Amino acid sequence: QVQVVESGGGLVQAGGSLRLSCTASGLTVDDHAMGWFRQALGKEREGVSSISWSGEFIHHRGDVKGRFNISTDNATNALSLQMNSLQPEDTGIYYCAAETTWTGCTLNSYTFNYWGQGTQVTVSE
């Protein structure tokens, strides 16, 4: 049974940084991807960043490039998202997700089949 658990959200002022962490237990396939998604109040869920488990492929949405870094630790099945220069528009619930059928490191939520419960990130003015 696959279990995905996030941690590390919180409240930060604009320009600040936060680091999100995620552990995914029960994954048995090697060739898959992990990703971070977010959902702001009243908006649809959107992909933020994804990474192949090997770390070879990374995909960021345009407005986080240069500010967010995604990384994996294969030894512990852990995923991290370092978020720098945070802006109020980054506010939302951030979800960690696992994709167990390789589709090319996308930001499409429908290709990810295991999800965490989400962690709140709030960026104040």
Side-chain angles (χ1 to χ4, degrees):
Q1 181 179 355
V2 177
Q3 189 172 17
V4 178
V5 179
E6 310 97 333
S7 62
L11 172 64
V12 65
Q13 288 188 326
S17 298
L18 280 174
R19 185 177 182 87
L20 303 182
S21 298
C22 170
T23 56
S25 60
L27 289 172
T28 58
V29 293
D30 293 327
D31 186 14
H32 61 270
M34 297 288 293
W36 289 99
F37 295 78
R38 67 187 181 190
Q39 187 167 19
L41 192 63
K43 295 187 177 180
E44 292 187 354
R45 188 175 299 185
E46 59 187 17
V48 176
S49 302
S50 64
I51 185 169
S52 60
W53 202 244
S54 66
E56 181 179 0
F57 301 100
I58 291 176
H59 188 179
H60 292 292
R61 60 179 293 112
D63 58 358
V64 307
K65 284 183 180 178
R67 300 191 297 125
F68 290 12
N69 291 304
I70 188 170
S71 60
T72 59
D73 183 340
N74 289 7
T76 58
N77 263 15
L79 175 74
S80 297
L81 184 69
Q82 177 66 41
M83 304 185 293
N84 302 317
S85 302
L86 283 162
Q87 300 302 314
E89 51 267 33
D90 295 316
T91 293
I93 300 174
Y94 281 67
Y95 298 90
C96 177
E99 176 191 83
T100 55
T101 300
W102 177 250
T103 61
C105 203
T106 74
L107 294 179
N108 297 318
S109 61
Y110 58 81
T111 68
F112 288 78
N113 46 340
Y114 293 100
W115 292 81
Q117 79 288 350
T119 185
Q120 178 70 45
V121 171
T122 303
V123 185
S124 61
E125 298 278 358

